[in-house]
Amino acid sequence: TLEKRDLLLDVFGDILPVRVGNYEHEGVPNRAGNYYLGITRQIYRFIGNDGLLSWVYEAPEAIHQLMEYMTQDRLRQFEYLEAQGLIVPNTDNALAGPRAYGYCSDLPAPDAAPGTLGDLWCWAESQESTPISPAMFGEFVLPYLMRVTDRFGLGYYGWCEPQTDRLERIIAALPTLRSVTVTPWADLERTAELLGDR
């Protein structure tokens, strides 16, 4: 990273600022700047779609154990970044979620010194759990997402999942929620009602 920074400084550092930052979880360009949870995405990778969708019936304790494992993994990862002073503000043109910039006045300015997780946006989603019922989502997914998002200043929720049937639960469980993705597959009128003037 520092070698790349030095190369860029050498090439155009006198005309453009070069800054190291914008943590991103998986090296995917459209997620740059996200403090992305990806809990059910990782479980999907561990046990596949069939496992994720059938174990909630056949092995519910195993799903809870996997969710706990991934929740602890994410908490340790983010706490490490915080403890090492590697927090990079994402309240600028870094993405707060998959398609929204982090500009806001409720968190420290982007030029602030490395701070805490409470100074950042985080991004939660669970498109892999879309086929399970809202009640199952409330039992197997939402409590774990909440434990991680509660550590951050603001939350962004959603990606491609049409979460209309569980949006009330998401809003109630994630008090720092400030932005949501509303996909074309959502019930747009109902989603608008649920979001209201927020």
Side-chain angles (χ1 to χ4, degrees):
T1 299
L2 296 179
E3 287 176 8
K4 286 181 183 178
R5 179 205 60 192
D6 292 344
L7 174 65
L8 295 172
L9 278 169
D10 185 50
V11 172
F12 54 80
D14 57 332
I15 57 173
L16 290 173
V18 176
R19 182 178 63 153
V20 175
N22 291 347
Y23 164 79
E24 41 100 3
H25 178 64
E26 298 181 57
V28 179
N30 71 342
R31 293 187 206 150
N34 293 303
Y35 287 81
Y36 171 62
L37 277 57
I39 294 174
T40 54
R41 182 172 187 188
Q42 189 60 49
I43 289 175
Y44 168 82
R45 290 177 173 167
F46 287 155
I47 63 174
N49 191 56
D50 289 347
L52 181 61
L53 300 180
S54 63
W55 287 18
V56 291
Y57 296 101
E58 299 169 1
E61 285 309 309
I63 292 293
H64 279 299
Q65 289 172 350
L66 282 169
M67 290 298 290
E68 179 62 28
Y69 175 83
M70 286 310 306
T71 299
Q72 290 296 323
D73 177 74
R74 291 302 184 253
L75 286 170
R76 283 190 300 270
Q77 175 185 9
F78 295 138
E79 288 165 359
Y80 172 83
L81 293 172
E82 186 176 56
Q84 298 299 313
L86 300 173
I87 297 295
V88 175
N90 59 356
T91 55
D92 57 4
N93 64 344
L95 296 175
R99 294 290 180 256
Y101 293 118
Y103 293 109
C104 69
S105 57
D106 292 336
L107 295 173
D111 58 355
T116 68
L117 297 174
D119 297 333
L120 302 170
W121 284 93
C122 73
W123 169 33
E125 54 81 32
S126 185
Q127 63 185 345
E128 298 81 10
S129 65
T130 298
I132 68 173
S133 72
M136 286 184 157
F137 174 81
E139 176 185 348
F140 292 102
V141 178
L142 199 50
Y144 300 99
L145 296 180
M146 183 176 68
R147 283 176 43 208
V148 183
T149 61
D150 279 354
R151 298 292 311 278
F152 288 82
L154 294 177
Y156 184 108
Y157 187 88
W159 196 1
C160 296
E161 73 265 37
Q163 72 271 18
T164 307
D165 66 347
R166 56 201 72 201
L167 188 55
E168 284 181 283
R169 293 173 188 261
I170 293 166
I171 291 169
L174 307 180
T176 62
L177 184 67
R178 292 296 183 276
S179 186
V180 296
T181 292
V182 180
T183 72
W185 300 279
D187 178 339
L188 299 180
E189 289 183 20
R190 178 67 180 138
T191 302
E193 289 173 16
L194 292 169
L195 294 175
D197 63 359
R198 289 175 281 185

